[in-house]
Amino acid sequence: MKRVAIFISGGGSNMVSLVDAMQTGEIDAEPVLVLANSADAGGLEKARARGIKTAVVDHRDYSDRASFETKISQILQDNVVNVICLAGFMRVLTAEFTAQWEGRMLNIHPSLLPKYKGLNTHQRALDAGDSEAGVSVHLVTAELDDGPILGQVAVPILDGDTADDLAARVLLEEHKLYPAVLKTFIKTL
Ligand code: GRF
């Protein structure tokens, strides 16, 4: 059974959706690790409550990205991880790290890629007067938010929407899309 690590930086609601789908057997894979780049990540407690091993590798403890990633790689090796799911992980990974994991590392991004790579995606969609926003799950490559897209869901933008309104509407779709994509992806390995 494939062994999945989930990387988080914040509340981890996407991590919870993935873990729950694996623990119910919906996804034929095992959540073996939740890794955060800060001990303050709210998702760590949610992972522990589900019996998932956690690790914190605080990027501020390392002088450069390479040493930060070396520590992460050691933890991934120790836990015999096969697949990485980035879920609200707010650190940019180096080309070297993404190359090592190419084809085995997924990310969820709150826009209809290739539109709005990077941050503040919902405000940018509102400012552009778009009629819809959405979410994408893609394979991670060296270029940020640019890898092959594995799944997307469009979400309507409604009159009067704020970025927060839109984020909340998109997040509901994220929690369905990421498990659905991972379920299918795992079968290709
Ligand atoms: C989500 O909006 C996701 O699209 C983006 O960061 C947020 C993560 O939220 N990558 P959570 O930590 O999974 O709740």
Side-chain angles (χ1 to χ4, degrees):
M1 181 176 276
K2 295 301 179 194
R3 297 167 60 85
V4 177
I6 305 168
F7 289 14
I8 65 170
S9 295
S13 69
N14 276 290
M15 175 274 295
V16 167
S17 301
L18 293 172
V19 166
D20 288 354
M22 286 184 268
Q23 290 187 329
T24 58
E26 177 67 23
I27 299 176
D28 184 23
E30 183 183 0
V32 297
L33 177 72
V34 170
L35 183 144
N37 65 299
S38 166
D40 298 336
L44 288 168
E45 185 46 44
K46 296 171 189 169
R48 295 181 190 120
R50 287 163 174 77
I52 309 297
K53 184 176 182 180
T54 60
V56 174
V57 183
D58 191 325
H59 58 284
R60 292 164 295 193
D61 295 340
Y62 298 86
S63 56
D64 57 35
R65 290 184 191 277
S67 52
F68 169 64
E69 292 174 354
T70 298
K71 178 63 177 174
I72 290 176
S73 297
Q74 186 60 56
I75 294 170
L76 293 171
Q77 187 175 350
D78 293 348
N79 287 279
V80 196
V81 170
N82 307 118
V83 174
I84 299 172
C85 289
L86 306 181
F89 188 64
M90 301 308 281
R91 303 303 298 171
V92 174
L93 296 163
T94 63
E96 290 74 23
F97 188 91
T98 55
Q100 287 168 17
W101 287 91
E102 188 135 4
R104 298 185 295 148
M105 180 157 59
L106 286 67
N107 182 47
I108 188 164
H109 180 76
S111 80
L112 293 173
L113 291 171
K115 292 182 79 171
Y116 310 130
K117 297 175 183 177
L119 299 174
N120 303 317
T121 60
H122 301 310
Q123 191 58 57
R124 290 156 67 191
L126 289 170
D127 293 348
D130 292 355
S131 60
E132 64 180 13
V135 52
S136 308
V137 175
H138 63 97
L139 288 171
V140 176
T141 55
E143 186 174 339
L144 188 67
D145 300 331
D146 189 69
I149 292 171
L150 300 177
Q152 285 189 309
V153 172
V155 169
I157 292 178
L158 306 178
D159 288 347
D161 267 345
T162 64
D164 286 347
D165 297 331
L166 198 43
R169 192 173 307 128
V170 170
L171 198 58
L172 294 174
E173 295 306 324
E174 294 179 27
H175 297 161
K176 293 182 277 187
L177 180 66
Y178 215 167
V181 168
L182 182 61
K183 178 178 181 176
T184 302
F185 177 75
I186 287 290
K187 293 174 185 171
T188 68
L189 297 179

